[in-house]
Amino acid sequence: MIAVPQPSIVLVRPQLAQNIGKAARAMLNFGLTDLRLVSPRDGWPNPEAGPAASGADVVLEKARLFESVADAVADCAHVYATTVRKRGVTKPVLPPDEAVAAIHAEPGGSAILFGPERSGLETDDVAVARTILTVPINPEFGSLNLAQAVILVAYEWSKGQNLSQPPATELDPPAPQQELDGMIAQLETMLDGSGYFFPADRMPTVKRTLRTLLTKPGWTSQEVRTLRGVLSTLDRPRGPQRAATSRNASKRSSS
Amino acid sequence: MIAVPQPSIVLVRPQLAQNIGKAARAMLNFGLTDLRLVSPRDGWPNPEAGPAASGADVVLEKARLFESVADAVADCAHVYATTVRKRGVTKPVLPPDEAVAAIHAEPGGSAILFGPERSGLETDDVAVARTILTVPINPEFGSLNLAQAVILVAYEWSKGQNLSQPPATELDPPAPQQELDGMIAQLETMLDGSGYFFPADRMPTVKRTLRTLLTKPGWTSQEVRTLRGVLSTLDRPRGPQRAATSRNASKRSSS
């Protein structure tokens, strides 16, 4: 068996500590140990998680706490958002088996987001992901709880562990999420200064659209650096050409 | 979809009515409705099952009560016994996916036995089965509860059913090459004016790199239009914000 990096399980704003414990138990049954918590409602650590974990304490002890989804997945190259509904976002939707096949096939770390018990992931959480993971379910009775969603994904992942994987592709892995976030932030600052986000109330939607576009390709770190060079040059033209750009811009404006 | 007879889920001497409810909920999520109970410890019907079923009442109402495993599976052609351990019986042992593949492939009704919460199936129960169903699990932490074992089997079974596949994503096709070329040409013009292509003899290589980046995502026509809007705005900032941009640029230049 070739070691495949484990996907991180990211619980976004979980409500009950008990369910964090149950998710930890579900994970460890299938060998997953990297649990990340984004703003758990009742704080962390929480004494109610332990008993529900039924002995999966090692997962709870290693669990890391984050303030935002972006922070939680900053080092991950692939982010999957688990949802039950399609949300009008133009991203690929995969069932658990195909999602874990993709995780096994692609180089770089992966994170799988699970939303709060009642409401599920918000649109902004889903926007961080490149791919939607949906468990196909009885259309007349969909009632998967958090730990069940986690266990199905963990179970599927464990199946791939027994398969001998072909040697990893020599493509560079996609850049970690934080590098992408840096590039997106740079572009947003430039666009904000250029009056792109108008009217202002559409800004969140427009930003999500841009994020979806820019997270789609899975650019490598080198590619992200190149694009940031492009943006920096557009933001601050170099040397003598600068005057020429302004002239061009005026010419076009007057046409 | 081809109608495949559903496997019956047989809970053998379950202890807590709550777990019967949870098993019913797990089943209905994946379209299974034939629940059979062999001598539940606390009797049947039991008012504690309902709340735990979270709405899967139809499964509980249809559940049938039997006095022995033999009675419960009398009408089934194939009996699978779910165990975590091999028990020295010489029967084939299948993981859930292979077991449900066999259920789909073979004519005749199937039953899957699940043992009591603490102890699991007795040797005599297993003796009724032709095949052992075992969920491959972390050898250092095996802690699947009854409803979880049921949900994994139900989930695997549902995969063979076309009904429960996620709706095919209706992603727009990638934009035709000429639209992409138009966008790349626009960016190149802007970069040329900003002094990006320096030294000039590297221009062909740099342009190829950019083209590789920008053709990687397979953006749709709509996405290409959005990006061209971004480029146009950066090239010709709108209205009052323009002065602000220039100020920012000077500030950064002087740092």
Side-chain angles (χ1 to χ4, degrees), chain B residues 167-189:
Chain B
T169 27
E170 287 159 27
L171 295 181
D172 290 330
Q177 195 65 27
Q178 69 181 10
E179 293 180 16
L180 215 48
D181 285 347
M183 182 186 76
I184 291 169
Q186 182 181 6
L187 177 62
E188 285 177 352
T189 302

Side-chain angles (χ1 to χ4, degrees), chain B residues 8 92 199:
Chain B
S8 306

Side-chain angles (χ1 to χ4, degrees), chain B residues 165-230:
Chain B
Q165 292 306 304
T169 27
E170 287 159 27
L171 295 181
D172 290 330
Q177 195 65 27
Q178 69 181 10
E179 293 180 16
L180 215 48
D181 285 347
M183 182 186 76
I184 291 169
Q186 182 181 6
L187 177 62
E188 285 177 352
T189 302
M190 287 168 65
L191 288 173
D192 203 20
S194 303
Y196 183 77
F197 298 115
F198 180 83
D201 60 353
R202 289 195 56 242
M203 194 195 281
T205 310
V206 175
K207 283 189 172 178
R208 265 199 302 276
T209 302
L210 285 177
R211 172 172 283 276
T212 300
L213 293 188
L214 297 171
T215 51
K216 188 174 180 181
W219 282 313
T220 65
S221 295
Q222 180 55 53
E223 289 171 327
V224 169
R225 278 196 295 277
T226 300
L227 286 163
R228 295 201 65 161
V230 164

Side-chain angles (χ1 to χ4, degrees), chain B residues 55-183:
Chain B
D57 304 288
V58 60
V59 177
L60 295 178
E61 284 158 15
K62 285 174 58 185
R64 277 176 286 169
L65 186 62
F66 297 91
E67 288 191 3
S68 70
V69 172
D71 289 345
V73 302
D75 61 339
C76 299
H78 311 278
V79 181
Y80 294 80
T82 307
T83 71
V84 284
R85 298 173 286 273
K86 284 170 72 177
R87 286 169 186 263
V89 279
T90 51
K91 304 186 190 229
V93 178
L94 298 181
D97 50 350
E98 293 178 25
V100 300
I103 290 172
H104 280 298
E106 295 171 324
S110 297
I112 306 173
L113 310 180
F114 294 83
E117 291 90 331
R118 289 222 169 270
S119 52
L121 293 169
E122 299 290 333
T123 309
D124 282 345
D125 305 321
V126 176
V128 176
R130 287 211 346 246
T131 310
I132 308 289
L133 190 163
T134 294
V135 180
I137 213 162
N138 182 353
E140 288 157 25
F141 182 81
S143 172
L144 270 190
N145 66 31
L146 178 56
Q148 287 170 335
V150 170
I151 208 169
L152 292 177
V153 171
Y155 162 74
E156 281 289 2
W157 182 80
S158 76
K159 284 203 279 189
Q161 301 295 95
N162 295 326
L163 246 195
S164 59
Q165 292 306 304
T169 27
E170 287 159 27
L171 295 181
D172 290 330
Q177 195 65 27
Q178 69 181 10
E179 293 180 16
L180 215 48
D181 285 347
M183 182 186 76

Side-chain angles (χ1 to χ4, degrees), chain A residues 136 156 159 193 235 245 252, chain B residues 29 156 159 164 193 235 245 252:
Chain A
E156 282 288 4
K159 284 202 283 188
D235 200 25
T245 321
R252 275 194 296 270
Chain B
N29 266 305
E156 281 289 2
K159 284 203 279 189
S164 59
D235 202 25
T245 319
R252 275 192 296 270

Side-chain angles (χ1 to χ4, degrees), chain A residues 45-83:
Chain A
N46 189 310
E48 287 180 29
S54 299
D57 302 287
V58 60
V59 177
L60 295 179
E61 283 157 17
K62 285 175 56 187
R64 278 176 288 169
L65 185 64
F66 297 90
E67 287 192 1
S68 69
V69 172
D71 289 343
V73 303
D75 61 338
C76 298
H78 310 280
V79 181
Y80 294 80
T82 308
T83 72

